[in-house]
């Protein structure tokens, strides 16, 4: 791939993402503030309920909840938008050839940006609670963030072409997201469940990433690297598998949109 | 592939499966799995091959649904063919539609960038071309306005302006000229000439045969997804017109067939007295039908300027009627009265004709231009005022095609000096 082509790909992703952004907050009074407001309101409610009712003795429950919620909203938004991306860009796809992965990635850019805005809030909280991590911990955290984006894209590459043909997928995914939310250690610490259930929870890819992020950011410890390596070892081939799947299903896909 | 080939299409076919009732959800698929899904197979393209040279202006013509757009979409890489292969040598800018991705909520400027990117330009390139794009579109003072507030003409101008500045080596254009006023079309055509000078490869799908003939080096004629011929513009356009006309002829024929069937049915249930035309009983003669024939007396509906035309009036008459007068007038489809004659003024002895049951008028070397014409015919007694029976355009049309680009409904013999 030559330089110009690569340049054009990035420009396309950015242009489509920018348009999405402008459209999303078009005519809304609070505009981009909603990026903070939505997860933050959920956070306030959950914090009020759980920190007072169940986890009174848990140190830093509030900040743990916030880490979990921000990572989760990144994942759930990116996957949902990524899955819908091909259908929502039908007007373009039907008229011109654009690689599908460009469309899918560009639609997830918004979620990534929203995540980085939310991260600012998280950092303010980390300061306020006096648990701000060091550079090393932050870099490890960055790896987790990249991995979350990785699984979101992997899911989107599989789901976007499938969704064109089976329109129930968005309903199914909505339900599944609800299940996964409770199967991830967001509102509760993983230690709150019995060990054999913990093993089960680790089948959910978000469990490992959220739990490890909490350890790194708040406890300033380093979670088990062997787990992380296994995780990466599984994700990379699956990621390329999803790219292959996307390429395979491109044939005759546009006609069904 | 040869170095100077821009596009090579090798025996491609494309079939669309159109389900009668679309089943997209799993519930439908599970609950109705026993019901067979009936697909309507639609062969959009069948075994089409072509080779387009670099720098060639290539036209594709054909009726609606003949597969033109499908072929273009395959060339653009939007659809993939079921079989066969397409090789493209060079970068393609497809203009299947002007303003792809245009967002009405964004300003003209933003849309230039959006559309430009989608058409294959990088930001840098767009920035460089931006002043030229605006200049060409003549929209300087509106460029920061939202596109939804543009008139449709302004939108088209903006879109076209981006499109021509996004051009690559190979341009695919689908009916871009169908929109816009005559000024805009003239502008488009000027750009086409520029493209031609720049030795760009252009593939144009169009219904405008004049444009096609004027600009294209070669034209492909598609019919029902099949390649009928690839030839020089003149032959392809002629063939296309002939096909259209014979289609029209068939349509008229089928219509008249249907009509005669209906007539029979009415005759069968002739119980209702309302159906009986009382005047018919006392008519001395009735025009049954009018046929258009060529000089060999075979029925035809299309003629070339300069052909012979015979109009045959079939009529029935009452016993004992010896003498009738016939009048025939030709009208253009716009209802212009072109030419009228009758046997009375021409002092024709019609006694023999009356016995024949039909009356022929032989027009030699018809001097009519490209148009549709219909005939009004009447049967009179000894004076023109006393009309016995009369028919007009319900008898059908005949068409004339001039094989040059002359305009007007008559053809006069002429010579330049």
């Amino acid at each position: 791939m030559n330089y110009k082509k690569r340049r054009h790909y990035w420009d396309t992703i950015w242009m489509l993402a920018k348009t999405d952004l402008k459209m999303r907050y078009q005519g809304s009074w609070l505009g981009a503030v909603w990026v903070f407001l939505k997860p933050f309101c959920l956070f306030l409610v959950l914090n009020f309920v759980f920190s007072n009712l169940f986890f009174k003795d848990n140190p830093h429950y509030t900040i743990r909840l916030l880490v979990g919620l921000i990572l989760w909203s990144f994942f759930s938004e990116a996957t949902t938008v990524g899955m819908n991306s091909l259908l929502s860009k039908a007007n373009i796809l039907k008229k011109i050839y654009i690689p599908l992965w460009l469309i899918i990635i560009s639609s997830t850019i918004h979620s990534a940006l929203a995540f980085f805005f939310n991260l600012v809030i998280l950092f303010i909280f980390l300061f306020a609670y006096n648990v701000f991590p060091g550079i090393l911990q932050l870099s490890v955290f960055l790896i987790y963030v990249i991995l979350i984006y990785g699984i979101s894209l992997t899911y989107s590459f599989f789901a976007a072409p499938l969704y064109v043909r089976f329109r129930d997928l968005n309903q199914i995914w909505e339900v599944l997201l609800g299940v996964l939310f409770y199967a991830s250690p967001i509102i509760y610490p993983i230690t709150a469940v019995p060990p054999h259930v913990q093993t089960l929870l680790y089948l959910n890819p978000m469990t490992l990433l959220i739990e490890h992020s909490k350890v790194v950011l708040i406890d300033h410890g380093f979670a088990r690297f062997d787990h992380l390596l296994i995780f990466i070892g599984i994700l990379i081939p699956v990621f390329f598998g999803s790219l292959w799947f996307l390429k395979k299903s491109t044939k005759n896909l546009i006609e069904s949109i | 592939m040869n170095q100077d080939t821009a596009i090579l299409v090798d025996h491609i076919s494309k079939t669309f499966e159109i389900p009668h009732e679309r089943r997209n959800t799993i519930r439908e698929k599970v609950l109705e799995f026993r019901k067979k899904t009936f697909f309507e197979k639609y062969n959009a393209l069948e075994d089409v091959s072509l080779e387009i040279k670099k720098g060639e202006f290539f036209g594709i013509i054909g009726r609606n649904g003949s597969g033109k757009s499908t072929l273009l979409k395959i060339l653009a890489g939007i659809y993939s063919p079921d079989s066969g292969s397409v090789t493209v040598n060079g970068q393609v800018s497809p203009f299947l539609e002007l303003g792809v991705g245009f967002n009405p909520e964004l300003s003209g400027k933003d849309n230039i960038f959006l559309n430009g990117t989608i058409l294959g330009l990088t930001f840098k390139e767009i920035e460089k071309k931006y002043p030229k794009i605006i200049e060409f579109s003549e929209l300087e003072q509106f460029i920061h306005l939202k596109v939804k507030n543009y008139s449709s003409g302004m939108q088209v101008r903006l879109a076209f302006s981006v499109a021509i500045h996004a051009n690559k080596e190979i341009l695919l254009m689908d009916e871009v000229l169908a929109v816009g006023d005559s000024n805009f079309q003239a502008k488009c055509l000027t750009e086409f000439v520029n493209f031609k000078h720049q030795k760009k490869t252009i593939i144009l799908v169009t219904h405008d045969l004049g444009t096609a003939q004027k600009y294209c080096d070669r034209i492909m004629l598609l019919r029902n997804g099949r390649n009928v011929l690839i030839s020089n513009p003149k032959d392809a356009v002629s063939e296309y017109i002939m096909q259209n006309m014979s289609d029209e002829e068939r349509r008229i024929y089928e219509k008249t067939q249907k009509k005669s069937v209906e007539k029979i049915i009415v005759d069968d249930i002739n119980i209702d007295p309302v159906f009986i035309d009382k005047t018919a009983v006392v008519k001395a003669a009735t025009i049954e039908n009018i046929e258009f024939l060529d000089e060999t007396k075979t029925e035809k509906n299309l003629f070339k300027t300069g052909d012979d035309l015979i109009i045959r009036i079939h009529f029935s008459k009452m016993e004992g009627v010896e003498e009738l007068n016939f009048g025939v007038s030709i009208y253009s489809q716009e209802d212009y009265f072109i030419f009228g004659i009758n046997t009375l003024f021409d002092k024709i002895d019609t006694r023999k004709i009356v016995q024949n049951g039909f009356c022929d008028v032989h027009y030699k070397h018809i001097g009519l231009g490209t148009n549709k014409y219909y005939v009004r015919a009447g049967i009179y007694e000894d004076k023109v005022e006393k009309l016995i029976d009369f028919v007009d355009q319900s008898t059908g049309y005949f068409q004339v095609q001039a094989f040059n680009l002359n305009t007007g409904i008559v053809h006069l013999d002429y010579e330049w000096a």
Side-chain angles (χ1 to χ4, degrees):
Chain A
M1 206 192 291
N2 59 24
Y3 168 76
K4 214 186 128 191
K5 206 167 179 186
R6 215 159 45 217
R7 181 80 245 161
H8 176 243
Y9 279 167
W10 288 123
D11 284 352
T12 310
I13 291 178
W14 180 233
M15 193 68 229
L16 291 173
K18 214 163 91 179
T19 311
D20 275 354
L21 245 103
K22 279 192 184 163
M23 284 306 102
R24 190 178 285 238
Y25 301 113
Q26 136 93 24
S28 102
W29 187 59
L30 285 175
V33 178
W34 283 111
V35 170
F36 302 97
L37 226 50
K38 251 182 357 197
F40 202 69
C41 289
L42 181 64
F43 161 71
L44 287 180
V45 172
L46 290 175
N47 188 41
F48 176 76
V49 174
F50 289 100
S51 68
N52 290 323
L53 286 179
F54 302 113
F55 303 107
K56 265 187 192 144
D57 325 316
N58 200 313
H60 304 310
Y61 176 78
T62 305
I63 190 90
R64 281 168 194 276
L65 176 66
L66 190 62
V67 172
L69 268 181
I70 286 176
L71 291 177
W72 176 259
S73 73
F74 179 29
F75 171 75
S76 72
E77 247 194 65
T79 48
T80 308
V81 182
M83 182 175 67
N84 284 310
S85 58
L86 294 184
L87 280 185
S88 62
K89 289 283 181 299
N91 59 335
I92 296 176
L93 286 172
K94 279 184 159 179
K95 295 292 173 193
I96 206 159
Y97 169 75
I98 294 183
L100 298 184
W101 59 269
L102 278 186
I103 300 279
I104 296 172
I105 288 182
S106 76
S107 70
T108 58
I109 296 283
H110 171 264
S111 321
L113 285 180
F115 170 73
F116 281 109
F117 281 122
N118 285 324
L119 218 53
V120 175
I121 292 200
L122 177 65
F123 284 168
I124 293 170
F125 267 76
L126 287 172
F127 261 120
Y129 279 79
N130 213 11
V131 286
F132 201 79
I135 269 293
L136 198 60
Q137 282 92 341
L138 280 179
S139 359
V140 177
F141 175 63
L142 188 67
I143 295 176
Y144 297 141
V145 172
I146 292 170
L147 288 177
I148 290 180
Y149 193 51
I151 50 175
S152 304
L153 280 185
T154 307
Y155 172 78
S156 302
F157 288 162
F158 277 121
L162 278 177
Y163 181 43
V164 172
R165 298 203 163 108
F166 312 105
R167 305 280 162 102
D168 329 52
L169 204 58
N170 63 339
Q171 313 287 349
I172 295 174
W173 186 240
E174 220 172 279
V175 174
L176 262 178
L177 275 178
V179 174
L180 287 176
F181 178 80
Y182 290 100
S184 311
I186 299 167
I187 50 176
Y188 56 89
I190 189 108
T191 45
V193 295
H196 65 276
V197 180
Q198 278 185 33
T199 329
L200 211 63
L201 286 187
Y202 272 107
L203 287 177
N204 167 14
M206 285 303 284
T207 304
L208 179 119
L209 295 173
I210 288 174
E211 190 54 33
H212 281 200
S213 298
K214 284 183 190 171
V215 171
V216 161
L217 286 178
I218 297 157
D219 304 330
H220 301 171
F222 290 103
R224 296 182 53 178
F225 269 106
D226 53 340
H227 282 177
L228 185 63
L229 286 179
I230 293 170
F231 189 90
I232 294 174
I234 295 172
L235 181 61
I236 286 178
V238 178
F239 177 75
F240 283 105
S242 73
L243 269 176
W244 173 84
F245 178 80
L246 182 67
K247 213 180 151 183
K248 274 272 145 193
S249 44
T250 304
K251 204 179 148 110
N252 299 345
L253 188 72
I254 306 296
E255 298 135 61
S256 331
I257 287 181
Chain B
M1 188 167 71
N2 205 325
Q3 204 44 50
D4 55 328
T5 302
I7 289 178
L8 187 68
V9 174
D10 189 23
H11 298 283
I12 58 166
S13 298
K14 178 83 187 166
T15 308
F16 290 111
E17 282 186 344
I18 307 159
H20 275 280
E21 204 183 331
R22 212 182 166 123
R23 257 177 248 155
N24 260 341
T25 66
I26 291 176
R27 188 196 73 90
E28 285 165 344
K29 283 194 197 238
V30 171
L31 290 184
E32 299 170 24
F33 74 101
R34 255 176 295 176
K35 270 199 226 162
K36 224 174 155 181
T37 321
F38 288 104
F39 286 107
E40 190 122 29
K41 285 222 171 180
Y42 179 71
N43 292 335
L45 286 176
E46 275 181 86
D47 198 29
V48 173
S49 298
L50 75 139
E51 186 180 0
I52 299 170
K53 297 254 175 280
K54 277 187 180 160
E56 196 173 12
F57 203 127
F58 192 86
I60 302 173
I61 57 176
R63 304 195 70 170
N64 290 333
S66 60
K68 303 184 301 287
S69 295
T70 309
L71 178 60
L72 214 58
K73 281 191 171 182
I74 289 175
L75 294 182
I78 299 167
Y79 290 167
S80 41
D82 294 337
S83 63
S85 70
V86 176
T87 326
V88 178
N89 190 4
Q91 278 188 300
V92 178
S93 24
F95 308 132
L96 302 190
E97 190 176 81
L98 281 173
V100 176
F102 256 30
N103 198 317
E105 297 291 344
L106 294 180
S107 72
K109 186 183 174 176
D110 287 343
N111 270 308
I112 290 178
F113 277 84
L114 179 62
N115 188 229
T117 325
I118 290 172
L119 289 178
L121 295 174
T122 61
F123 285 165
K124 242 190 220 146
E125 288 171 315
I126 301 174
E127 263 157 27
K128 217 164 63 197
K129 290 176 176 176
Y130 182 67
K132 272 201 245 162
I133 294 176
I134 294 185
E135 200 195 312
F136 188 89
S137 68
E138 301 164 17
L139 289 168
E140 286 92 344
Q141 65 259 56
F142 306 109
I143 209 66
H144 295 288
L145 228 66
K146 281 184 180 179
V147 163
K148 69 172 173 188
N149 298 323
Y150 282 24
S151 74
S152 55
M154 286 156 84
Q155 290 188 17
V156 168
R157 245 149 62 200
L158 187 70
F160 189 73
S161 189
V162 182
I164 62 155
H165 287 92
N167 59 54
K168 305 273 189 207
E169 295 129 3
I170 302 167
L171 291 101
L172 307 176
M173 297 196 255
D174 191 357
E175 297 291 357
V176 274
L177 291 175
V179 287
D181 55 15
S182 55
N183 252 348
F184 171 75
Q185 291 196 357
K187 222 168 172 178
C188 294
L189 293 176
T190 321
E191 281 311 311
F192 280 4
V193 176
N194 284 345
F195 289 155
K196 223 174 160 175
H197 288 321
Q198 291 163 22
K199 288 278 161 217
K200 297 219 147 111
T201 312
I202 300 165
I203 296 144
L204 175 70
V205 165
T206 185
H207 281 295
D208 184 355
L209 300 178
T211 312
Q213 260 184 332
K214 199 163 161 193
Y215 293 96
C216 296
D217 299 320
R218 284 192 302 158
I219 290 183
M220 173 162 84
L221 174 59
L222 282 176
R223 186 180 168 82
N224 300 332
R226 286 178 173 280
N227 176 6
V228 177
L229 84 160
I230 300 177
S231 74
N232 63 320
K234 202 175 154 238
D235 291 351
V237 168
S238 307
E239 175 65 27
Y240 177 55
I241 291 170
M242 287 316 270
Q243 273 187 5
N244 270 1
M245 285 186 169
S246 48
D247 287 351
E248 181 68 13
E249 224 168 42
R250 191 175 317 124
R251 199 183 61 78
I252 291 169
Y253 175 74
E254 272 159 15
K255 209 170 114 190
T256 47
Q257 286 294 100
K258 214 167 142 196
K259 219 188 242 163
S260 58
V261 170
E262 273 165 14
K263 221 186 214 164
I264 292 164
I265 292 169
V266 171
D267 282 349
D268 279 350
I269 51 157
N270 232 344
I271 317 145
D272 193 343
V274 179
F275 278 112
I276 304 167
D277 186 357
K278 294 225 167 62
T279 58
V281 186
V282 294
K283 263 183 188 175
T286 316
I287 296 175
E288 300 282 353
N289 189 16
I290 290 183
E291 278 180 337
F292 305 111
L293 313 169
D294 64 6
E295 64 270 28
T296 62
K297 303 273 165 81
T298 42
E299 201 176 349
K300 241 175 116 174
N301 281 77
L302 57 125
F303 299 86
K304 282 181 243 169
T305 299
D307 278 356
D308 281 11
L309 160 71
I310 296 169
I311 294 176
R312 175 171 288 182
I313 304 163
H314 291 276
F315 60 92
S316 57
K317 60 165 183 80
M318 279 172 68
E319 271 314 295
V321 174
E322 293 288 321
E323 209 169 338
L324 292 165
N325 277 307
F326 300 91
V328 180
S329 302
I330 297 175
Y331 285 77
S332 74
Q333 63 174 341
E334 300 88 0
D335 264 345
Y336 291 124
F337 182 22
I338 310 284
F339 189 57
I341 50 171
N342 70 60
T343 48
L344 186 68
F345 293 167
D346 285 341
K347 299 198 174 64
I348 304 292
D349 182 2
T350 56
R351 268 178 293 189
K352 218 182 130 217
I353 297 173
V354 172
Q355 299 312 315
N356 276 346
F358 65 84
C359 164
D360 277 0
V361 191
H362 193 140
Y363 297 86
K364 297 230 163 84
H365 314 301
I366 43 168
L368 296 172
T370 307
N371 208 336
K372 274 184 170 183
Y373 300 89
Y374 70 88
V375 164
R376 290 183 178 171
I379 299 180
Y380 312 87
E381 274 182 26
D382 51 353
K383 279 187 200 142
V384 181
E385 292 87 55
K386 197 135 187 230
L387 186 66
I388 299 172
D389 195 22
F390 178 78
V391 290
D392 62 8
Q393 64 260 60
S394 58
T395 51
Y397 288 85
F398 67 96
Q399 301 194 40
V400 176
Q401 173 64 32
F403 278 122
N404 43 33
L405 295 175
N406 294 344
T407 49
I409 51 172
V410 296
H411 180 86
L412 305 177
D413 249 345
Y414 68 98
E415 203 172 283
W416 292 97

